[in-house]
Short mmCIF file of all heavy atoms in Angstrom, two decimals:
data_model
loop_
_atom_site.label_atom_id
_atom_site.label_comp_id
_atom_site.label_asym_id
_atom_site.label_seq_id
_atom_site.Cartn_x
_atom_site.Cartn_y
_atom_site.Cartn_z
N LEU A 203 51.68 -34.76 -47.22
CA LEU A 203 51.30 -33.43 -46.75
C LEU A 203 51.52 -32.39 -47.86
O LEU A 203 52.43 -32.55 -48.67
CB LEU A 203 52.13 -33.04 -45.53
CG LEU A 203 52.10 -34.02 -44.36
CD1 LEU A 203 52.97 -33.52 -43.22
CD2 LEU A 203 50.66 -34.20 -43.87
N ALA A 204 50.69 -31.38 -47.88
CA ALA A 204 50.91 -30.27 -48.81
C ALA A 204 51.97 -29.36 -48.21
O ALA A 204 51.97 -29.12 -47.00
CB ALA A 204 49.62 -29.50 -49.04
N THR A 205 52.86 -28.86 -49.06
CA THR A 205 53.94 -27.99 -48.54
C THR A 205 53.99 -26.67 -49.30
O THR A 205 53.95 -26.65 -50.53
CB THR A 205 55.31 -28.69 -48.68
OG1 THR A 205 55.45 -29.15 -50.03
CG2 THR A 205 55.44 -29.87 -47.75
N VAL A 206 54.09 -25.61 -48.55
CA VAL A 206 54.27 -24.27 -49.12
C VAL A 206 55.57 -23.76 -48.53
O VAL A 206 55.71 -23.71 -47.31
CB VAL A 206 53.16 -23.30 -48.64
CG1 VAL A 206 53.30 -21.94 -49.31
CG2 VAL A 206 51.80 -23.89 -48.89
N CYS A 207 56.54 -23.43 -49.38
CA CYS A 207 57.84 -23.00 -48.84
C CYS A 207 58.10 -21.52 -49.16
O CYS A 207 58.11 -21.12 -50.32
CB CYS A 207 58.95 -23.86 -49.42
SG CYS A 207 60.59 -23.41 -48.81
N PHE A 208 58.28 -20.73 -48.13
CA PHE A 208 58.75 -19.35 -48.29
C PHE A 208 60.26 -19.38 -48.11
O PHE A 208 60.76 -19.77 -47.04
CB PHE A 208 58.18 -18.44 -47.21
CG PHE A 208 56.71 -18.13 -47.37
CD1 PHE A 208 55.74 -18.99 -46.89
CD2 PHE A 208 56.30 -16.95 -47.98
CE1 PHE A 208 54.39 -18.70 -47.03
CE2 PHE A 208 54.96 -16.64 -48.11
CZ PHE A 208 53.99 -17.51 -47.65
N ALA A 209 60.99 -19.04 -49.16
CA ALA A 209 62.46 -19.09 -49.07
C ALA A 209 63.06 -17.73 -49.41
O ALA A 209 62.73 -17.16 -50.46
CB ALA A 209 63.00 -20.15 -50.03
N THR A 210 63.90 -17.20 -48.53
CA THR A 210 64.55 -15.93 -48.88
C THR A 210 65.85 -16.21 -49.62
O THR A 210 66.56 -17.17 -49.33
CB THR A 210 64.86 -15.07 -47.62
OG1 THR A 210 65.79 -15.75 -46.79
CG2 THR A 210 63.60 -14.76 -46.83
N ARG A 211 66.13 -15.34 -50.60
CA ARG A 211 67.45 -15.36 -51.26
C ARG A 211 68.30 -14.30 -50.59
O ARG A 211 67.79 -13.22 -50.27
CB ARG A 211 67.31 -14.99 -52.73
CG ARG A 211 66.60 -15.99 -53.60
CD ARG A 211 66.40 -15.41 -54.98
NE ARG A 211 67.63 -15.43 -55.74
CZ ARG A 211 67.93 -16.41 -56.60
NH1 ARG A 211 67.09 -17.38 -56.83
NH2 ARG A 211 69.06 -16.41 -57.25
N PRO A 212 69.59 -14.58 -50.40
CA PRO A 212 70.42 -13.64 -49.65
C PRO A 212 70.54 -12.27 -50.33
O PRO A 212 70.35 -12.15 -51.54
CB PRO A 212 71.79 -14.32 -49.62
CG PRO A 212 71.60 -15.69 -50.15
CD PRO A 212 70.30 -15.77 -50.85
N PHE A 213 70.85 -11.27 -49.55
CA PHE A 213 71.19 -9.96 -50.11
C PHE A 213 72.43 -10.09 -50.99
O PHE A 213 73.32 -10.91 -50.70
CB PHE A 213 71.57 -8.99 -48.98
CG PHE A 213 70.42 -8.50 -48.16
CD1 PHE A 213 70.23 -8.95 -46.86
CD2 PHE A 213 69.52 -7.56 -48.66
CE1 PHE A 213 69.19 -8.50 -46.09
CE2 PHE A 213 68.47 -7.11 -47.88
CZ PHE A 213 68.30 -7.57 -46.60
N THR A 214 72.50 -9.26 -52.02
CA THR A 214 73.69 -9.27 -52.89
C THR A 214 74.95 -8.99 -52.06
O THR A 214 76.00 -9.60 -52.28
CB THR A 214 73.54 -8.20 -53.99
OG1 THR A 214 72.30 -8.43 -54.63
CG2 THR A 214 74.66 -8.27 -55.00
N PHE A 215 74.80 -8.09 -51.08
CA PHE A 215 76.00 -7.71 -50.32
C PHE A 215 76.54 -8.87 -49.46
O PHE A 215 77.64 -8.78 -48.92
CB PHE A 215 75.77 -6.45 -49.49
CG PHE A 215 74.78 -6.58 -48.35
CD1 PHE A 215 75.05 -7.38 -47.25
CD2 PHE A 215 73.59 -5.86 -48.38
CE1 PHE A 215 74.14 -7.47 -46.20
CE2 PHE A 215 72.68 -5.96 -47.34
CZ PHE A 215 72.95 -6.77 -46.24
#
Side-chain angles (χ1 to χ4, degrees):
L203 305 180
T205 52
V206 183
C207 181
F208 287 84
T210 63
R211 291 173 77 96
F213 287 107
T214 307
F215 67 67

